[in-house]
Amino acid sequence: MSSPSQLDRRAAVAALLKNRKDTLVVSGLGSPTYDLHSVGDHDGNFYLWGAMGGAALIGLGLAQAQPGKNVMVLTGDGEQLMGLGGLATIGVARPRNLDIVVIDNQHFGETGMQASHTGRGVDLTAIAAACGFAATRTMRTIEEVRRLAEEPGEGPRLFVIKVAAENPPRSLPSRDAVFIKNRFRAHLGFAAA
């Protein structure tokens, strides 16, 4: 059972996306993709099955290409640790429509649940703040996550949600990259490529 400082990841993601409206969501490989899909498949979901460390930068590119849409990156602590340099690039680019949400279980869940750097004191919110993000915060309660879901703000913003180190059953979306790409493009009003 999760303690108040370690939320159930699926409940946190469901609360975060309850009223997503037209937000485009990029999910990092592994658990963030399973979590996003568990809330419900959506044409505005762009699931990554590879590109470890690249979710935030893919979100940056999407935010720059679609300045009229809100973009959320849903990633894990292990992936974001691998892509720390991307936070500096995002801080310099300053996309106003980009939120990065790190689901932090303080473990490398996809490779055997080894302790990650965030469990040893590395603070992703402090790193993002130092990179020039407009807002950063660590959340430990479901009430904080619910408030964030309703909180407008100008980005770039980075939020860390501390969750329990558990592996719930996988909720698997399509692994067909061409299908995912074409569906996402169609959602944005572009032809399949």
Side-chain angles (χ1 to χ4, degrees):
M1 190 88 190
S2 300
S3 72
S5 64
Q6 295 188 335
L7 298 171
D8 173 276
R9 65 183 308 130
R10 295 279 165 88
V13 171
L16 181 67
L17 294 172
K18 183 176 181 184
N19 298 309
R20 77 180 271 176
K21 299 177 182 150
D22 65 347
T23 298
L24 303 173
V25 183
V26 175
S27 61
L29 82 147
S31 294
T33 286
Y34 312 147
D35 296 340
L36 176 60
H37 187 259
S38 76
V39 173
D41 197 19
H42 189 285
D43 290 350
N45 292 351
F46 192 77
Y47 306 110
L48 294 179
W49 288 109
M52 177 73 166
L57 288 175
I58 290 170
L60 168 63
L62 184 58
Q64 290 175 323
Q66 297 290 318
K69 297 201 178 282
N70 292 323
V71 176
M72 177 186 293
V73 172
L74 192 63
T75 189
D77 52 305
E79 178 174 16
Q80 194 54 66
L81 285 162
M82 184 175 258
L84 283 179
L87 296 180
T89 301
I90 292 165
V92 170
R94 299 199 56 76
R96 296 168 36 170
N97 58 330
L98 178 62
D99 287 341
I100 298 172
V101 179
V102 180
I103 306 301
D104 184 5
N105 66 2
Q106 301 181 355
H107 290 79
F108 295 107
E110 299 308 308
T111 61
M113 294 302 279
Q114 304 88 349
S116 81
H117 300 67
T118 60
R120 296 181 176 175
V122 172
D123 185 344
L124 292 171
T125 59
I127 292 168
C131 289
F133 276 59
T136 66
R137 187 165 61 243
T138 298
M139 291 171 274
R140 291 181 167 82
T141 68
I142 198 70
E143 290 76 24
E144 290 173 302
V145 176
R146 288 182 183 128
R147 282 195 302 270
L148 173 62
E150 300 298 326
E151 177 183 299
E154 191 170 297
R157 305 185 305 170
L158 182 137
F159 304 103
V160 173
I161 301 175
K162 295 290 189 176
V163 299
E166 300 171 335
N167 277 323
R170 293 180 176 179
S171 179
L172 295 171
S174 174
R175 298 181 99 170
D176 182 336
V178 174
F179 167 77
I180 293 168
K181 174 195 73 164
N182 287 337
R183 182 179 79 161
F184 193 76
R185 285 180 58 84
H187 179 71
L188 293 174
F190 298 107

